[in-house]
């Protein structure tokens, strides 16, 4: 049974930083795609960034609005996915979800490629 658990959300002022963490346990394959998605109030879920759990993997940032501000990384020793979010804006307010899926050579921020999802962690940025 795969479990995906996120943590690290909270309330922060605009310009501040937060780091989200995610652990996916019970996954059979060591190589997998993992990513962060978000859903703002009244909007659909969008991909933020994804990465393969392979040493030296190049992350893929899907959202133009976070490029240069958000960094995705994976610590193999801790089996933990991170999303470092800097210079946060009120538009970043959303529920952030961690997801894990099959690695077939390339990781993309397509929801249907991810089989396991966490419950989400709320990020609220005040102006």
């Amino acid at each position: 049974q795969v479990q995906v658990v996120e943590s690290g959300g909270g309330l922060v002022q605009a310009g501040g930083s937060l780091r989200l963490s995610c652990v996916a346990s019970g996954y059979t394959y060591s190589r997998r795609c993992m990513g962060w998605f978000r859903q703002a109030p009244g909007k659909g879920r969008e991909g933020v960034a994804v990465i393969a759990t392979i040493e030296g993997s190049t992350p893929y940032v899907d959202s133009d609005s976070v490029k240069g501000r958000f960094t995705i990384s994976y610590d193999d020793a801790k089996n933990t996915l991170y999303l470092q979010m800097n210079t946060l804006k009120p538009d970043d307010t959303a529920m952030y979800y961690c997801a894990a899926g099959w690695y077939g050579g390339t990781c993309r921020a397509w929801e249907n490629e991810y089989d396991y999802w966490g419950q989400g962690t709320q990020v609220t940025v005040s102006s």
Side-chain angles (χ1 to χ4, degrees), residues 43-124:
K43 296 185 178 181
R45 191 154 59 185
E46 65 168 346
V48 176
V50 299
I51 193 169
T53 59
I54 300 172
E55 186 176 354
S57 172
T58 300
Y60 174 70
V61 179
D62 187 58
S63 173
D64 288 339
S65 67
V66 308
K67 286 181 179 177
R69 300 189 297 121
F70 290 11
T71 303
I72 187 172
S73 62
Y74 181 75
D75 186 328
D76 187 62
K78 297 182 178 179
N79 191 33
T80 301
L81 180 74
Y82 298 102
L83 185 68
Q84 177 67 43
M85 304 185 295
N86 298 328
T87 319
L88 282 161
K89 305 175 181 180
D91 284 349
D92 295 319
T93 295
M95 184 71 79
Y96 284 71
Y97 298 91
C98 176
W102 172 261
Y103 175 70
T106 301
C107 294
R108 295 166 292 195
W110 295 356
E111 288 189 43
N112 60 359
E113 294 193 351
Y114 294 82
D115 302 310
Y116 303 99
W117 293 79
Q119 293 298 308
T121 185
Q122 179 67 39
V123 172
T124 302

Side-chain angles (χ1 to χ4, degrees), residues 24-47:
S25 59
Y27 210 90
T28 302
Y29 303 101
S30 60
R31 292 187 174 191
R32 56 190 179 273
C33 291
M34 294 191 70
W36 292 98
F37 297 76
R38 67 182 182 182
Q39 186 168 18
K43 296 185 178 181
R45 191 154 59 185
E46 65 168 346

